[in-house]
Amino acid sequence: MKILVTGAAGFIGFHLTKALLLQGHVVVGLDNMNDYYDVRLKQARLALIESDNQFQFIKADLSDRAMIEQIFEEGQFDAVINLAAQAGVRYSIENPHSYIDSNVTGFLHILEGCRHHKVGHLIYASSSSVYGLDEAMPFQESQSADHPLALYGATKKANEMMAHSYSHLYGLPTTGLRFFTVYGPWGRPDMALFLFTKAIFDGKPINVFNHGKMVRDFTYIDDIVEGIVRLVDKPAVSNDDFNPLSPDSGSSPAPYRLFNIGNSQPVALMDYISALEKAIGREAKKNFLPMQAGDAKATNADTTRLEEWVGFAPSTSVEDGVERFVAWYREFYNV
């Protein structure tokens, strides 16, 4: 297949592109290479995939309508995987406009490209952040998820609703993936694992919010990629049993599906930190702080639907995943 991957120099996009190339697909990777975090890390990821003759990189921004139209016109893609987005819950509180430009306007340009060029399947990144105030766990795709805690989650919910309208109006198969706290080698420097690791190696304290009383469904990157790869050639189909009197938010009479991708084994934040301390061989100095605005106290994914659809559910333990991240960090940063 010929596949467009947006956010190809990002954490998930890089790993996914590598996997798709190994499978023999032709991949066009798009990224705006913005400086939300260290561009050198993005460049280093890109350097590992640019040498593949089945890969083409295009530097572009999703909000550039003319450029995206041109990319679709020239690309004639079989599938599109949209991972490009302005990431980060806390950053969305300080920089709301960048989230609308990338996550809403940019996503509209992707939908329009898929619609006009008859793309066979659009897969796009949503987030566990859409569950917001919901406390009925484990989170299920059938839940309404209408109370996001910050604009980031709201833009991801908007993506799901926009995708549904295009699936309904134009028959475009769309699959939304609600990622749960993805971590692993080549991860984002603004994420807790990266921040904690750097601080421990630098001999500085780590900031532990809500005094450590948080639980997360930490999901290892290889599990995320495996789930996406299996979904590529299994486009969404209509749910013939859909009941409009009791609607299921994760499916539709249109070719539209939502899937949680999480480890389904929530881990307490303090246990996550303990796994990191063990992998590094040092105890972290901890700076306990109150809860931050926009954060959820707990996440927990029900992945039954994903397993039923593609025969796979994430299972990598936090101990194994954190150990692999630390090994990569030591090598990449020579510490």
Side-chain angles (χ1 to χ4, degrees):
M1 297 172 73
K2 187 175 185 183
I3 302 171
L4 173 66
V5 177
T6 72
F11 173 33
I12 301 174
F14 155 70
H15 283 280
L16 175 65
T17 297
K18 279 205 309 177
L20 292 172
L21 291 169
L22 280 171
Q23 286 198 333
H25 298 294
V26 174
V27 179
V28 175
L30 181 153
D31 204 292
N32 67 1
M33 304 297 285
N34 71 21
D35 61 358
Y36 169 65
Y37 61 79
D38 190 353
V39 176
R40 291 172 297 178
L41 183 58
K42 299 180 182 182
Q43 292 167 338
R45 293 180 187 132
L46 205 52
L48 292 177
I49 49 178
E50 276 192 309
S51 59
D52 194 306
N53 59 15
Q54 294 281 86
F55 177 74
Q56 176 192 359
F57 178 70
I58 301 172
K59 184 178 179 181
D61 196 292
L62 290 190
S63 63
D64 186 338
R65 178 178 174 181
M67 174 67 88
I68 300 304
E69 286 177 353
Q70 181 183 339
I71 289 168
F72 272 91
E73 180 68 37
E74 295 174 357
Q76 299 301 311
F77 306 110
D78 299 303
V80 173
I81 305 173
N82 184 56
L83 301 174
Q86 180 56 61
V89 172
R90 292 158 193 162
Y91 190 72
S92 71
I93 297 171
E94 302 160 17
N95 299 272
H97 294 283
S98 65
Y99 286 77
I100 299 302
D101 292 343
S102 178
N103 301 8
V104 179
T105 303
F107 189 61
L108 174 63
H109 297 161
I110 292 292
L111 286 168
E112 280 288 279
C114 291
R115 166 199 171 191
H116 289 294
H117 296 281
K118 309 300 180 188
V119 170
H121 190 194
L122 168 62
I123 298 173
Y124 61 94
S126 184
S127 168
S128 60
S129 296
V130 301
Y131 289 107
L133 286 175
D134 288 16
E135 292 187 0
M137 293 190 200
F139 293 142
Q140 297 179 323
E141 298 91 341
S142 57
Q143 292 172 230
S144 61
D146 286 335
H147 300 88
L149 298 173
L151 186 64
Y152 172 70
T155 63
K156 290 302 186 178
K157 179 68 173 180
N159 286 173
E160 295 176 359
M161 298 297 90
M162 293 163 73
H164 183 268
S165 68
Y166 273 66
S167 295
H168 172 71
L169 290 170
Y170 310 113
L172 170 66
T174 65
T175 301
L177 304 179
R178 291 174 173 173
F179 297 139
F180 282 70
T181 317
V182 189
Y183 73 100
W186 297 97
R188 282 183 10 221
D190 63 319
M191 297 285 283
L193 182 59
F194 206 113
L195 292 168
F196 290 170
T197 302
K198 184 177 188 304
I200 292 170
F201 276 116
D202 291 347
K204 296 179 179 177
I206 64 173
N207 289 330
V208 183
F209 293 100
N210 200 37
H211 304 282
K213 297 172 184 174
M214 288 201 283
V215 174
R216 287 287 181 274
D217 205 336
F218 297 102
T219 313
Y220 189 63
I221 182 62
D222 290 3
D223 288 337
I224 292 286
V225 168
E226 180 68 22
I228 299 173
V229 166
R230 291 190 183 211
L231 282 161
V232 169
D233 58 2
K234 285 214 62 171
V237 297
S238 63
N239 176 6
D240 295 333
D241 297 322
F242 185 83
N243 180 1
L245 296 177
S246 180
D248 173 353
S249 294
S251 68
S252 170
Y256 166 89
R257 289 293 162 104
L258 296 174
F259 293 106
N260 291 330
I261 299 195
N263 205 42
S264 302
Q265 298 177 48
V267 174
L269 179 58
M270 297 308 295
D271 291 339
Y272 192 58
I273 293 169
S274 293
L276 178 59
E277 291 172 325
K278 181 181 177 183
I280 294 176
R282 298 185 202 173
E283 187 174 345
K285 302 171 186 174
K286 301 172 187 71
N287 183 24
F288 291 98
L289 296 168
M291 192 74 163
Q292 285 200 124
D295 271 1
K297 288 183 181 178
T299 61
N300 182 357
D302 182 331
T303 56
T304 304
R305 291 190 177 189
L306 177 69
E307 193 163 8
E308 289 174 348
W309 192 246
V310 295
F312 172 79
S315 61
T316 303
S317 72
V318 157
E319 289 76 17
D320 288 344
V322 167
E323 191 174 334
R324 291 175 207 169
F325 172 80
V326 171
W328 167 80
Y329 188 94
R330 286 183 189 275
E331 181 180 0
F332 188 74
Y333 289 103
N334 195 27
V335 294

